[in-house]
């Protein structure tokens, strides 16, 4: 089902999964609570952002894109939402910051980068294994990745709010994705599955850590 949507719902033809009002409200909240610890962790691995090419993959309203650019990175913003693109462009202009903007599905990002940053949007990918391979191919040799993924504990929290057929459908979608790598809907992967996926790729260094309802993945290629 997700592959069908991928082929039929194209952002270049006007498709936007994020309503304008929601995008504006979400952006207002996210710009107030940027986690500088995330930026410091990445900097501790790099030494400096200066002149490093960085892909903010699934960048949303662009709050982290702008923060990375302020620290000297050459940032590419990539997201599917035209509404987020409008917000991010306006913010970059207000800050007098140069950012490269790329509109499309997560899997449609292209180029080679020193750093890949992907935060809390993994479950929007079409296929977990293919998306991990996509990320791997986007990273330069010796490049660094920092990924935050909502895992099964987050899904359990969300399921507690659901009932009836919708709850059953989400559980079924999760089971199919975990056991057969079939995604009928946007569903969160388990920490175990993420560990298996990334272990299959050839990294010089790979670390996965379960931090509550998130899985933090860092790597060097």
């Amino acid at each position: 089902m997700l592959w069908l949507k991928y082929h039929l719902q194209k952002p270049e033809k006007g498709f936007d999964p994020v309503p304008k009002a929601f995008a504006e409200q979400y952006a207002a909240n996210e710009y107030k609570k940027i986690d500088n610890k995330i930026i410091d962790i990445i900097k501790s691995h790099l030494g400096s952002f200066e002149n490093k090419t960085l892909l903010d993959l699934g960048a949303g309203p662009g709050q982290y894109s702008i923060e990375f650019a302020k620290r000297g990175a050459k940032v590419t913003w990539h997201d599917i939402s035209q509404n987020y693109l409008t917000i991010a462009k306006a913010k970059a202009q207000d800050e007098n910051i140069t950012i490269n903007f790329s509109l499309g599905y997560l899997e449609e990002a292209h180029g080679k980068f020193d750093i890949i940053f992907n935060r809390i949007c993994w479950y929007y990918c079409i296929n977990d294994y293919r998306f991990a391979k996509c990320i791997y191919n986007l990273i330069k040799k010796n490049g660094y990745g920092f990924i935050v993924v909502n895992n099964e504990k987050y899904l359990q929290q969300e399921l507690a709010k659901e009932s009836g057929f919708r709850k059953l459908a989400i559980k079924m979608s999760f089971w199919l994705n975990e056991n057969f790598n079939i995604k009928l809907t946007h569903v969160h992967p388990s920490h175990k599955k993420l560990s298996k996926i990334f272990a299959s790729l050839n990294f010089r260094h790979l670390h996965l850590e379960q931090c509550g309802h998130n899985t933090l993945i860092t790597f060097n290629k």
Side-chain angles (χ1 to χ4, degrees):
M1 185 177 292
L2 289 184
W3 275 110
L4 183 60
K5 289 182 177 180
Y6 175 84
H7 288 292
L8 295 178
Q9 298 176 328
K10 292 293 187 180
E12 63 269 21
K13 295 182 179 179
F15 170 69
D16 192 332
V18 186
K20 185 173 184 291
F22 177 88
E24 291 173 348
Q25 182 181 7
Y26 180 77
N29 290 332
E30 288 298 300
Y31 271 93
K32 291 177 184 176
K33 58 178 186 179
I34 293 170
D35 188 350
N36 285 301
K37 288 189 294 184
I38 289 177
I39 298 170
D40 291 340
I41 289 170
I42 299 174
K43 185 179 178 182
S44 71
H45 286 268
L46 300 174
S48 171
F49 286 104
E50 196 68 32
N51 292 321
K52 296 287 197 312
T53 54
L54 184 150
L55 174 63
D56 190 355
L57 185 56
Q63 72 275 27
Y64 284 99
S65 294
I66 287 175
E67 290 302 312
F68 290 130
K70 283 181 179 179
R71 288 160 174 78
K74 297 178 179 178
V75 177
T76 294
W77 173 104
H78 183 86
D79 200 278
I80 193 173
S81 173
Q82 179 69 53
N83 288 322
Y84 280 148
L85 175 61
T86 299
I87 292 168
K89 279 186 172 181
K91 291 286 187 180
Q93 186 174 9
D94 288 345
E95 297 279 357
N96 195 27
I97 286 173
T98 300
I99 291 175
N100 179 47
F101 292 96
S102 171
L103 187 69
Y105 282 88
L106 290 170
E107 295 84 355
E108 293 178 328
H110 61 275
K112 289 287 187 180
F113 301 89
D114 297 307
I115 312 157
I116 295 272
F117 180 73
N118 176 251
R119 174 182 171 272
I120 314 296
C121 63
W122 178 285
Y123 70 107
Y124 284 118
C125 74
I126 306 299
N127 178 286
D128 293 328
Y129 278 92
R130 289 175 186 169
F131 184 46
K133 186 67 174 178
C134 173
I135 288 174
Y136 184 84
N137 291 334
L138 288 165
I139 286 280
K140 293 179 181 178
K141 185 177 180 181
N142 299 320
Y144 176 75
F146 186 95
I147 302 173
V148 183
V149 186
N150 291 142
N151 56 39
E152 73 275 22
K153 289 192 174 182
Y154 182 87
L155 181 64
Q156 289 166 6
Q157 292 178 2
E158 294 300 298
L159 279 172
K161 305 172 187 176
E162 302 290 347
S163 61
F165 177 77
R166 178 171 170 78
K167 187 171 187 176
L168 180 63
I170 294 171
K171 285 184 174 181
M172 178 59 72
S173 184
F174 175 77
W175 182 81
L176 286 170
N177 189 44
E178 290 293 304
N179 292 282
F180 300 101
N181 201 39
I182 297 171
K183 290 186 75 173
L184 297 180
T185 62
H186 296 298
V187 66
H188 303 281
S190 69
H191 178 82
K192 181 179 179 181
K193 183 181 183 186
L194 290 166
S195 299
K196 183 178 179 182
I197 290 171
F198 278 87
S200 69
L201 299 170
N202 186 25
F203 292 111
R204 287 194 308 144
H205 170 78
L206 173 65
H207 179 72
L208 287 92
E209 179 181 359
Q210 190 161 0
C211 307
H213 62 251
N214 290 330
T215 291
L216 172 61
I217 306 166
T218 56
F219 58 79
N220 285 105
K221 184 174 179 181

